PDB file of all heavy atoms in Angstrom:
ATOM      1  N   LYS Y 184      86.856  84.677 124.159  1.00 96.00           N
ATOM      2  CA  LYS Y 184      87.484  83.348 124.181  1.00 96.00           C
ATOM      3  C   LYS Y 184      86.552  82.267 123.650  1.00 96.00           C
ATOM      4  O   LYS Y 184      87.004  81.210 123.220  1.00 96.00           O
ATOM      5  CB  LYS Y 184      87.923  82.986 125.601  1.00 96.00           C
ATOM      6  CG  LYS Y 184      89.076  83.806 126.099  1.00 96.00           C
ATOM      7  CD  LYS Y 184      89.452  83.395 127.509  1.00 96.00           C
ATOM      8  CE  LYS Y 184      90.585  84.261 128.022  1.00 96.00           C
ATOM      9  NZ  LYS Y 184      90.978  83.886 129.389  1.00 96.00           N
ATOM     10  N   THR Y 185      85.250  82.515 123.691  1.00 98.00           N
ATOM     11  CA  THR Y 185      84.299  81.502 123.232  1.00 98.00           C
ATOM     12  C   THR Y 185      83.605  81.910 121.923  1.00 98.00           C
ATOM     13  O   THR Y 185      82.548  81.381 121.590  1.00 98.00           O
ATOM     14  CB  THR Y 185      83.245  81.194 124.316  1.00 98.00           C
ATOM     15  OG1 THR Y 185      82.470  82.363 124.560  1.00 98.00           O
ATOM     16  CG2 THR Y 185      83.904  80.700 125.601  1.00 98.00           C
ATOM     17  N   SER Y 186      84.203  82.827 121.179  1.00 98.00           N
ATOM     18  CA  SER Y 186      83.637  83.252 119.903  1.00 98.00           C
ATOM     19  C   SER Y 186      83.794  82.179 118.839  1.00 98.00           C
ATOM     20  O   SER Y 186      84.839  81.533 118.741  1.00 98.00           O
ATOM     21  CB  SER Y 186      84.333  84.529 119.419  1.00 98.00           C
ATOM     22  OG  SER Y 186      83.997  85.630 120.201  1.00 98.00           O
ATOM     23  N   ARG Y 187      82.751  82.000 118.049  1.00 98.00           N
ATOM     24  CA  ARG Y 187      82.765  81.098 116.895  1.00 98.00           C
ATOM     25  C   ARG Y 187      81.868  81.704 115.825  1.00 98.00           C
ATOM     26  O   ARG Y 187      81.055  82.586 116.097  1.00 98.00           O
ATOM     27  CB  ARG Y 187      82.244  79.704 117.268  1.00 98.00           C
ATOM     28  CG  ARG Y 187      83.108  78.925 118.235  1.00 98.00           C
ATOM     29  CD  ARG Y 187      84.486  78.563 117.697  1.00 98.00           C
ATOM     30  NE  ARG Y 187      84.442  77.707 116.520  1.00 98.00           N
ATOM     31  CZ  ARG Y 187      84.500  76.375 116.558  1.00 98.00           C
ATOM     32  NH1 ARG Y 187      84.630  75.749 117.711  1.00 98.00           N
ATOM     33  NH2 ARG Y 187      84.448  75.685 115.427  1.00 98.00           N
ATOM     34  N   LEU Y 188      81.993  81.213 114.608  1.00 98.00           N
ATOM     35  CA  LEU Y 188      81.113  81.637 113.526  1.00 98.00           C
ATOM     36  C   LEU Y 188      79.909  80.704 113.480  1.00 98.00           C
ATOM     37  O   LEU Y 188      80.057  79.477 113.505  1.00 98.00           O
ATOM     38  CB  LEU Y 188      81.845  81.617 112.186  1.00 98.00           C
ATOM     39  CG  LEU Y 188      83.030  82.576 112.067  1.00 98.00           C
ATOM     40  CD1 LEU Y 188      83.665  82.443 110.683  1.00 98.00           C
ATOM     41  CD2 LEU Y 188      82.626  84.008 112.349  1.00 98.00           C
ATOM     42  N   GLY Y 189      78.718  81.291 113.406  1.00 98.00           N
ATOM     43  CA  GLY Y 189      77.494  80.499 113.398  1.00 98.00           C
ATOM     44  C   GLY Y 189      77.425  79.514 112.250  1.00 98.00           C
ATOM     45  O   GLY Y 189      76.858  78.425 112.391  1.00 98.00           O
ATOM     46  N   CYS Y 190      78.023  79.869 111.110  1.00 98.00           N
ATOM     47  CA  CYS Y 190      77.993  78.963 109.959  1.00 98.00           C
ATOM     48  C   CYS Y 190      78.832  77.714 110.197  1.00 98.00           C
ATOM     49  O   CYS Y 190      78.675  76.714 109.486  1.00 98.00           O
ATOM     50  CB  CYS Y 190      78.462  79.681 108.696  1.00 98.00           C
ATOM     51  SG  CYS Y 190      80.194  80.212 108.707  1.00 98.00           S
ATOM     52  N   GLN Y 191      79.694  77.750 111.207  1.00 98.00           N
ATOM     53  CA  GLN Y 191      80.583  76.622 111.487  1.00 98.00           C
ATOM     54  C   GLN Y 191      80.142  75.797 112.692  1.00 98.00           C
ATOM     55  O   GLN Y 191      80.766  74.795 113.019  1.00 98.00           O
ATOM     56  CB  GLN Y 191      82.015  77.115 111.691  1.00 98.00           C
ATOM     57  CG  GLN Y 191      82.583  77.807 110.470  1.00 98.00           C
ATOM     58  CD  GLN Y 191      82.574  76.905 109.249  1.00 98.00           C
ATOM     59  OE1 GLN Y 191      83.204  75.854 109.250  1.00 98.00           O
ATOM     60  NE2 GLN Y 191      81.839  77.295 108.210  1.00 98.00           N
ATOM     61  N   ILE Y 192      79.085  76.227 113.363  1.00 98.00           N
ATOM     62  CA  ILE Y 192      78.555  75.461 114.500  1.00 98.00           C
ATOM     63  C   ILE Y 192      77.443  74.569 113.972  1.00 98.00           C
ATOM     64  O   ILE Y 192      76.366  75.033 113.626  1.00 98.00           O
ATOM     65  CB  ILE Y 192      78.036  76.376 115.629  1.00 98.00           C
ATOM     66  CG1 ILE Y 192      79.148  77.298 116.126  1.00 98.00           C
ATOM     67  CG2 ILE Y 192      77.458  75.537 116.765  1.00 98.00           C
ATOM     68  CD1 ILE Y 192      78.683  78.343 117.131  1.00 98.00           C
ATOM     69  N   ILE Y 193      77.745  73.277 113.883  1.00 98.00           N
ATOM     70  CA  ILE Y 193      76.828  72.292 113.333  1.00 98.00           C
ATOM     71  C   ILE Y 193      76.214  71.503 114.488  1.00 98.00           C
ATOM     72  O   ILE Y 193      76.936  70.972 115.338  1.00 98.00           O
ATOM     73  CB  ILE Y 193      77.567  71.315 112.384  1.00 98.00           C
ATOM     74  CG1 ILE Y 193      78.432  72.068 111.361  1.00 98.00           C
ATOM     75  CG2 ILE Y 193      76.581  70.358 111.722  1.00 98.00           C
ATOM     76  CD1 ILE Y 193      77.689  72.968 110.429  1.00 98.00           C
ATOM     77  N   LEU Y 194      74.891  71.430 114.530  1.00 98.00           N
ATOM     78  CA  LEU Y 194      74.235  70.692 115.604  1.00 98.00           C
ATOM     79  C   LEU Y 194      74.559  69.206 115.502  1.00 98.00           C
ATOM     80  O   LEU Y 194      74.444  68.606 114.431  1.00 98.00           O
ATOM     81  CB  LEU Y 194      72.719  70.906 115.559  1.00 98.00           C
ATOM     82  CG  LEU Y 194      72.273  72.327 115.882  1.00 98.00           C
ATOM     83  CD1 LEU Y 194      70.753  72.445 115.742  1.00 98.00           C
ATOM     84  CD2 LEU Y 194      72.722  72.742 117.265  1.00 98.00           C
ATOM     85  N   ARG Y 195      75.000  68.657 116.635  1.00 97.00           N
ATOM     86  CA  ARG Y 195      75.396  67.249 116.716  1.00 97.00           C
ATOM     87  C   ARG Y 195      75.250  66.808 118.161  1.00 97.00           C
ATOM     88  O   ARG Y 195      75.072  67.646 119.046  1.00 97.00           O
ATOM     89  CB  ARG Y 195      76.823  67.056 116.225  1.00 97.00           C
ATOM     90  CG  ARG Y 195      77.856  67.822 117.023  1.00 97.00           C
ATOM     91  CD  ARG Y 195      79.248  67.662 116.442  1.00 97.00           C
ATOM     92  NE  ARG Y 195      80.232  68.329 117.253  1.00 97.00           N
ATOM     93  CZ  ARG Y 195      80.718  67.872 118.408  1.00 97.00           C
ATOM     94  NH1 ARG Y 195      80.305  66.742 118.901  1.00 97.00           N
ATOM     95  NH2 ARG Y 195      81.620  68.561 119.081  1.00 97.00           N
ATOM     96  N   PRO Y 196      75.317  65.504 118.429  1.00 96.00           N
ATOM     97  CA  PRO Y 196      75.201  65.038 119.811  1.00 96.00           C
ATOM     98  C   PRO Y 196      76.179  65.770 120.730  1.00 96.00           C
ATOM     99  O   PRO Y 196      77.326  66.037 120.367  1.00 96.00           O
ATOM    100  CB  PRO Y 196      75.542  63.549 119.699  1.00 96.00           C
ATOM    101  CG  PRO Y 196      75.105  63.182 118.313  1.00 96.00           C
ATOM    102  CD  PRO Y 196      75.455  64.389 117.481  1.00 96.00           C
ATOM    103  N   GLY Y 197      75.682  66.112 121.918  1.00 95.00           N
ATOM    104  CA  GLY Y 197      76.460  66.861 122.892  1.00 95.00           C
ATOM    105  C   GLY Y 197      76.106  68.340 122.910  1.00 95.00           C
ATOM    106  O   GLY Y 197      76.477  69.065 123.827  1.00 95.00           O
ATOM    107  N   LEU Y 198      75.380  68.798 121.888  1.00 97.00           N
ATOM    108  CA  LEU Y 198      75.019  70.211 121.819  1.00 97.00           C
ATOM    109  C   LEU Y 198      73.548  70.457 122.138  1.00 97.00           C
ATOM    110  O   LEU Y 198      73.005  71.509 121.809  1.00 97.00           O
ATOM    111  CB  LEU Y 198      75.368  70.781 120.433  1.00 97.00           C
ATOM    112  CG  LEU Y 198      76.853  70.765 120.077  1.00 97.00           C
ATOM    113  CD1 LEU Y 198      77.075  71.349 118.689  1.00 97.00           C
ATOM    114  CD2 LEU Y 198      77.673  71.510 121.120  1.00 97.00           C
ATOM    115  N   GLU Y 199      72.911  69.505 122.807  1.00 96.00           N
ATOM    116  CA  GLU Y 199      71.520  69.681 123.201  1.00 96.00           C
ATOM    117  C   GLU Y 199      71.431  70.896 124.128  1.00 96.00           C
ATOM    118  O   GLU Y 199      72.246  71.048 125.034  1.00 96.00           O
ATOM    119  CB  GLU Y 199      70.999  68.443 123.932  1.00 96.00           C
ATOM    120  CG  GLU Y 199      70.978  67.188 123.101  1.00 96.00           C
ATOM    121  CD  GLU Y 199      72.313  66.428 123.074  1.00 96.00           C
ATOM    122  OE1 GLU Y 199      73.282  66.849 123.734  1.00 96.00           O
ATOM    123  OE2 GLU Y 199      72.379  65.410 122.373  1.00 96.00           O
ATOM    124  N   ASN Y 200      70.499  71.781 123.879  1.00 97.00           N
ATOM    125  CA  ASN Y 200      70.253  72.982 124.687  1.00 97.00           C
ATOM    126  C   ASN Y 200      71.379  74.004 124.608  1.00 97.00           C
ATOM    127  O   ASN Y 200      71.558  74.814 125.523  1.00 97.00           O
ATOM    128  CB  ASN Y 200      69.994  72.605 126.153  1.00 97.00           C
ATOM    129  CG  ASN Y 200      68.816  71.676 126.285  1.00 97.00           C
ATOM    130  OD1 ASN Y 200      67.746  71.947 125.756  1.00 97.00           O
ATOM    131  ND2 ASN Y 200      69.017  70.552 126.952  1.00 97.00           N
TER     132      ASN Y 200
END
Side-chain angles (χ1 to χ4, degrees):
K184 291 180 182 180
T185 64
S186 290
R187 294 296 298 267
L188 297 180
C190 65
Q191 299 302 299
I192 302 173
I193 311 298
L194 293 177
R195 61 183 183 77
L198 297 180
E199 297 85 2
N200 301 309

